Amino acid sequence: AKENQQYRLCLQYEYVGSSKQGDRVLNADIEKFKPLLPLGYNIENKSREYNWNNSSSTNYWLLLLVMAIIFWVTAILFNSLRQPLVIIFTIPISFIGVFLIFYLTKMNFDQGGFASFVLLCGITVNAAIYLLNEYNRLRSLKPKAGPVKLYLKAWNAKIIPILLTVVSTVLGFIPFMVGTNGKEGFWFPLALGTIGGLIMSLLALLIYLPIFVLPATRRKDGKKKKPGKGRRWWRRKRPAAIPLQV
């Protein structure tokens, strides 16, 4: 194309990674090519500053859609609307860990950070489902037992599989964080955000879940009627018959 009496040639390439690192790589390549250009030729960066996705709001709506699907699936599983709400609110708590670890490491939040959001939705929900499912099973087997005792039994039964899942996931993402060019790609933010979210999800299971599950269970058990309470009229003593004299 010709513009201002000069011929213009546009070169484009795709860089997978953070936008800031992509700008640094592009500027370094331009500085390398400048001494090699013939007389009268010039090279410059005319790229616009794009967002990591031009429809970021659409991505977050998709994240809400994933949460809605998880809510309805768990509602069918537990036959309840209260326990799925408790499970869903563990997801934003795990997101706090993602934001904290990106803030502490001063890393750029890009596609890898959003992908860690989607991954944490499944891992965090699985841990809460394991725990609540075992708790409901124990309640059905021992309805007269205290909710705190049953929750501690469910915790002791499921905490080892939950910890093994978290530890294995963290160890699986560590190879993406080591190496000379680890911070330049997509996988480093994904691994960093997932590890931070998993650590925070353990705190959610330890503190948040029993706070919102046990009081609701006590209120529900307290509303149960005692057996035979509605038939006390049958137990009333009839007045003694008085004999009549003629």
Side-chain angles (χ1 to χ4, degrees):
K2 191 174 182 180
E3 183 180 352
N4 295 330
Q5 302 300 321
Q6 293 179 349
Y7 287 98
R8 181 182 297 272
L9 179 62
C10 181
L11 298 178
Q12 296 179 348
Y13 69 93
E14 183 179 358
Y15 177 83
V16 179
S18 63
S19 58
K20 293 183 179 179
Q21 183 64 26
D23 292 337
R24 287 195 290 266
V25 172
L26 179 59
N27 293 329
D29 291 338
I30 289 175
E31 294 299 326
K32 291 179 181 178
F33 274 105
K34 279 184 177 180
L36 304 177
L37 294 175
L39 184 64
Y41 284 80
N42 187 24
I43 182 173
E44 57 184 358
N45 184 7
K46 289 291 185 179
S47 62
R48 296 181 297 175
E49 188 174 335
Y50 289 96
N51 193 3
W52 62 273
N53 196 337
N54 293 330
S55 57
S56 60
S57 60
T58 305
N59 293 318
Y60 292 109
W61 278 111
L62 291 176
L63 194 61
L64 294 176
L65 179 61
V66 171
M67 292 184 183
I69 294 173
I70 293 173
F71 173 79
W72 290 114
V73 171
T74 51
I76 296 172
L77 175 64
F78 294 118
N79 196 18
S80 170
L81 293 178
R82 177 181 52 83
Q83 289 186 350
L85 282 176
V86 175
I87 292 175
I88 286 298
F89 280 110
T90 59
I91 298 176
I93 296 177
S94 65
F95 289 172
I96 296 175
V98 179
F99 292 122
L100 282 177
I101 199 165
F102 272 98
Y103 174 77
L104 294 177
T105 57
K106 301 185 184 302
M107 285 293 300
N108 186 29
F109 186 87
D110 54 3
Q111 300 98 324
F114 180 80
S116 66
F117 279 170
V118 179
L119 187 61
L120 285 172
C121 288
I123 299 176
T124 307
V125 164
N126 283 338
I129 288 175
Y130 291 154
L131 195 55
L132 282 182
N133 190 34
E134 181 68 15
Y135 174 67
N136 293 334
R137 188 183 70 85
L138 293 176
R139 283 187 61 199
S140 62
L141 294 176
K142 301 178 180 179
K144 295 183 179 180
V148 177
K149 183 179 179 180
L150 294 179
Y151 187 85
L152 290 177
K153 284 186 177 181
W155 173 270
N156 294 332
K158 293 298 180 180
I159 189 58
I160 294 179
I162 291 173
L163 287 177
L164 288 176
T165 303
V166 172
V167 172
S168 61
T169 307
V170 170
L171 293 177
F173 276 106
I174 286 179
F176 297 107
M177 301 179 65
V178 298
T180 55
N181 297 325
K183 296 184 179 180
E184 299 178 1
F186 164 82
W187 296 103
F188 186 88
L190 172 63
L192 190 67
T194 304
I195 291 173
L198 288 176
I199 295 173
M200 188 60 66
S201 67
L202 291 178
L203 297 179
L205 293 177
L206 180 63
I207 300 174
Y208 161 78
L209 203 61
I211 289 176
F212 284 89
V213 171
L214 295 181
T217 305
R218 290 177 179 177
R219 289 195 300 267
K220 186 177 180 180
D221 294 339
K223 293 180 181 179
K224 293 182 178 179
K225 295 182 179 180
K226 295 181 180 179
K229 185 177 180 181
R231 297 184 178 181
R232 288 184 178 179
W233 60 272
W234 185 261
R235 302 175 185 175
R236 294 178 182 175
K237 295 182 179 180
R238 297 181 178 180
I242 301 174
L244 296 176
Q245 295 180 359
V246 181

